[in-house]
Amino acid sequence: QVHVVESGGGLVQPGGSLRLSCVAPTIMFRFYAMAWYRQAPGKQRELVATITSLGTTDYADFVKGRFTISRDNAKTMVNLQMNSLKPEDTAVYYCNTKEQSINWGGGTQVTVSS
């Protein structure tokens, strides 16, 4: 069973930045398309960004131009650089494969507030 661990969340003012990291310790990591998701209070979990095994990225419209997803296969890590944060970005952020095929971690809380 693969257990992901997310980190890097926190409290930030609007317009600020955070960098999230996720470690997914599996030898299969390099073959997975990975993704970041988020879930705000009272809302369903939603897809934020994806990155294929070859590094092709895609983003939800609501984060395009502000967030950047990247991966380090040697460290089995996927990162999410978040810039120009808005209050509506407040959520618990999770990583998983694009197919949601591994166990969910506990997520990391991002709060954007002045």
Side-chain angles (χ1 to χ4, degrees):
Q1 295 287 342
V2 179
H3 296 277
V4 300
V5 178
E6 301 96 344
S7 62
L11 173 64
V12 63
Q13 292 186 342
S17 299
L18 283 174
R19 183 176 177 84
L20 307 184
S21 295
C22 166
V23 176
T26 168
I27 60 173
M28 299 298 293
F29 180 86
R30 67 179 64 244
F31 301 111
Y32 289 144
M34 295 299 297
W36 281 95
Y37 302 82
R38 71 185 187 185
Q39 187 168 19
K43 295 187 177 181
Q44 290 189 330
R45 189 173 292 166
E46 60 185 356
L47 180 65
V48 174
T50 61
I51 184 166
T52 69
S53 59
L54 297 179
T56 302
T57 59
D58 195 18
Y59 300 91
D61 286 344
F62 51 79
V63 303
K64 277 183 180 176
R66 300 189 297 124
F67 291 11
T68 302
I69 189 171
S70 61
R71 66 188 296 156
D72 184 336
N73 289 337
K75 297 180 179 179
T76 66
M77 180 180 290
V78 58
N79 300 305
L80 186 69
Q81 178 66 43
M82 306 187 297
N83 299 327
S84 302
L85 283 162
K86 305 176 180 179
E88 51 263 44
D89 294 320
T90 295
V92 179
Y93 284 71
Y94 303 87
C95 75
N96 206 313
T97 67
K98 186 178 179 182
E99 294 76 21
Q100 303 180 29
S101 59
I102 57 180
N103 294 321
W104 292 97
T108 186
Q109 175 70 50
V110 172
T111 303
V112 185
S113 175
S114 55

